[in-house]
Amino acid sequence: MKAPRLPIALQQAVMRALRENLLLANRRLECDYPEPKLVYQQRGTAAGTAWLENWEIRLNPVLLLENQQAFIEEVVPHELAHLLTWKHFGRVPPHGKEWKWMMESVLGVPARRTHQFEIDSVRSRTFAYRCGCQQHQLTIRRHNRILRGESEYRCVQCGTLLQPGEFSATQA
């Protein structure tokens, strides 16, 4: 699927939010961290990712278009906090106490690990598999690994091997 074209005004609003958050962080941390590169190439259900070594933030253009203001207020500082935490503390757990402190104390944003955006428009196709106790939805990647004989998956609840097909009440 081709990424949608983002209006210039929306890209400018994202950049403005990034710069305001970075300025605030640099002031409060008494540092001079550079502006990270922004890339609108994140796919799937993730709203964004921080690429630490590249000093880069990747944003999901579909979710940005669908959730403009909430996305700018939540996702931009969230991903920036990952970069700042890495620079300030080194390698620490991604949503650990250092990241939480960076979000809440430095950037003044509630520290939520995941977004609450509707994801139907970006959800990939899944395949129904069953075990002894429930139905599972596997991604196309896992489904193809099973078909090629490269992997097998077990239910974490009952431990049985996942089999293709719908789950029925008589199996329970």
Side-chain angles (χ1 to χ4, degrees):
M1 182 175 92
K2 189 175 179 188
R5 288 183 60 96
L6 292 173
I8 274 296
L10 184 55
Q11 291 181 49
Q12 289 171 333
V14 169
M15 185 56 78
R16 190 169 35 256
L18 176 67
R19 287 177 175 157
E20 288 169 1
N21 280 288
L22 182 60
L23 182 66
L24 177 65
N26 278 335
R27 211 176 298 132
R28 290 186 174 166
L29 296 171
E30 298 178 353
C31 291
D32 190 26
Y33 294 124
E35 186 177 290
K37 179 180 180 184
L38 269 181
V39 180
Y40 297 95
Q41 294 179 341
Q42 182 66 48
R43 295 183 356 200
T45 59
T49 52
W51 291 72
L52 306 178
E53 286 85 6
N54 296 346
W55 198 249
E56 177 178 291
I57 294 174
R58 294 186 185 173
L59 300 176
N60 187 317
V62 176
L63 293 177
L64 171 57
L65 266 175
E66 293 175 353
N67 307 279
Q68 297 180 18
Q69 195 56 42
F71 191 103
I72 289 168
E73 292 171 1
E74 297 170 29
V75 178
V76 172
H78 177 113
E79 299 309 333
L80 178 61
H82 283 301
L83 295 177
L84 295 170
T85 301
W86 177 65
K87 281 283 192 193
H88 203 72
F89 296 103
R91 223 173 257 286
V92 294
H95 296 107
K97 64 181 190 236
E98 297 88 353
W99 175 83
K100 185 177 179 187
W101 175 82
M102 191 68 70
M103 284 289 287
E104 293 175 347
S105 300
V106 176
L107 298 175
V109 178
R112 291 199 346 219
R113 293 178 56 150
T114 59
H115 65 77
Q116 304 298 311
F117 305 139
E118 180 57 53
I119 58 170
D120 285 343
S121 63
V122 292
R123 180 176 284 146
S124 61
R125 183 171 171 216
T126 59
F127 295 82
Y129 278 74
R130 60 182 161 66
C131 65
C133 68
Q134 63 184 308
Q135 181 171 313
H136 302 264
Q137 294 297 318
L138 297 187
T139 63
I140 191 163
R141 178 173 287 161
R142 287 188 175 196
H143 173 70
N144 286 336
R145 284 182 181 154
I146 291 171
L147 293 179
R148 291 190 304 260
E150 295 172 357
S151 295
E152 60 181 33
Y153 299 95
R154 295 186 176 276
C155 175
V156 294
Q157 305 293 310
C158 68
T160 60
L161 196 60
L162 300 187
Q163 299 294 327
E166 300 290 324
F167 182 77
S168 68
T170 58
Q171 293 170 312

